[in-house]
Amino acid sequence: APGRFDRVVLISSPGRAFVADDKAADLAELGADSVEDVLLPRDEESLKRLMALAYYDPPWVPRFVARQVVERFYTAHRVEQIELLHGIESHTRQHRSEHAAPENETLILWGEHDRIFPESTVWRLQRELGEHAQACVMGKAAHAPHLEGERDATKLLLGFLRDGRVECPGRSAERIPVVSPAPAQLGEDI
């Protein structure tokens, strides 16, 4: 709801800037047929592949733990998770067409080595959100920069949420006043 929040933080989420061309390119690069093939592991090996995508330096996970994670978090709720993934896609398409970019101060936090969503997406998202958005790309991090660089991320998030200050430990772009392009200019909706 407008006016309820002063500041918003997006972490490794392309949101309204993600388009069908991105999805097709990502799936092709990952050698997958669908989003659920990438994000919803079926076994220990596919969980290991997901971890390799999500982390710059993936943590070691014992096989028995990996098996339990797959069973409890993915297998037991697979149908609902697939529906959720498809719902996110349709909601993003609908939201982009019905709503202008928010005017909240926004921090976009991204990992330099994110293989799930390419870095070009963060800069497109920042342009689309316009003058209220600032982006920070953290080095030695992939899709979970807040977990891989937790000290730097915590300092960054606290500074931004308290007073809007952004001291990016990686690469950043200052606020840029850019008019959000129409969805057709971004590419086909997902």
Side-chain angles (χ1 to χ4, degrees), residues 1-3 22 26 33 39 41 45 64-66 78 88 91 97-98 102 106 109 112 115 118 120 137 151 159 172 178:
D22 292 336
D26 289 351
D33 294 325
L39 298 180
E45 277 307 306
F64 78 93
V65 172
R78 187 167 188 82
I88 290 170
H91 177 74
S97 67
E98 294 176 2
T106 303
L109 181 59
E112 179 178 23
R115 291 184 51 215
S120 59
V137 178
R151 285 189 182 145
S172 65
V178 175

Side-chain angles (χ1 to χ4, degrees), residues 92-113:
T92 299
R93 216 178 9 257
Q94 178 183 356
H95 181 79
R96 186 182 316 137
S97 67
E98 294 176 2
H99 303 284
E103 294 187 5
N104 302 75
E105 295 292 317
T106 303
L107 171 64
I108 308 164
L109 181 59
W110 216 266
E112 179 178 23
H113 302 280

Side-chain angles (χ1 to χ4, degrees), residues 3 6 13 20 31 40 44-45 47 51 60 65 69 72 82 98 100-101 103 107 126 146 165 167 170 185 187-188:
D6 293 330
S13 174
L40 301 177
E44 296 88 27
E45 277 307 306
L47 178 65
M51 296 287 284
W60 176 76
V65 172
V69 166
R72 291 196 179 145
I82 291 171
E98 294 176 2
E103 294 187 5
L107 171 64
Q126 182 185 20
H146 57 299
R165 180 177 35 90
E167 294 179 22
Q185 293 172 306
E188 184 183 335

Side-chain angles (χ1 to χ4, degrees), residues 66-85:
R67 190 171 25 259
Q68 288 178 358
V69 166
V70 169
E71 289 170 4
R72 291 196 179 145
F73 294 104
Y74 296 103
T75 305
H77 306 286
R78 187 167 188 82
V79 171
E80 294 89 347
Q81 290 168 335
I82 291 171
E83 289 173 359
L84 179 63
L85 284 174

Side-chain angles (χ1 to χ4, degrees), residues 108-183:
I108 308 164
L109 181 59
W110 216 266
E112 179 178 23
H113 302 280
D114 191 331
R115 291 184 51 215
I116 295 175
F117 299 116
E119 186 179 322
S120 59
T121 309
V122 72
W123 307 119
R124 186 181 335 127
L125 178 59
Q126 182 185 20
R127 281 192 310 275
E128 185 171 338
L129 294 177
E131 65 186 8
H132 302 287
Q134 298 179 75
C136 176
V137 178
M138 293 179 63
K140 294 188 179 179
H143 193 65
H146 57 299
L147 300 177
E148 294 188 279
E150 66 272 359
R151 285 189 182 145
D152 286 338
T154 300
K155 182 178 175 183
L156 174 68
L157 294 173
L158 288 175
F160 175 73
L161 293 172
R162 282 186 185 140
D163 58 20
R165 180 177 35 90
V166 174
E167 294 179 22
C168 180
R171 288 180 286 125
S172 65
E174 292 301 314
R175 295 170 198 223
I176 48 177
V178 175
V179 176
S180 298

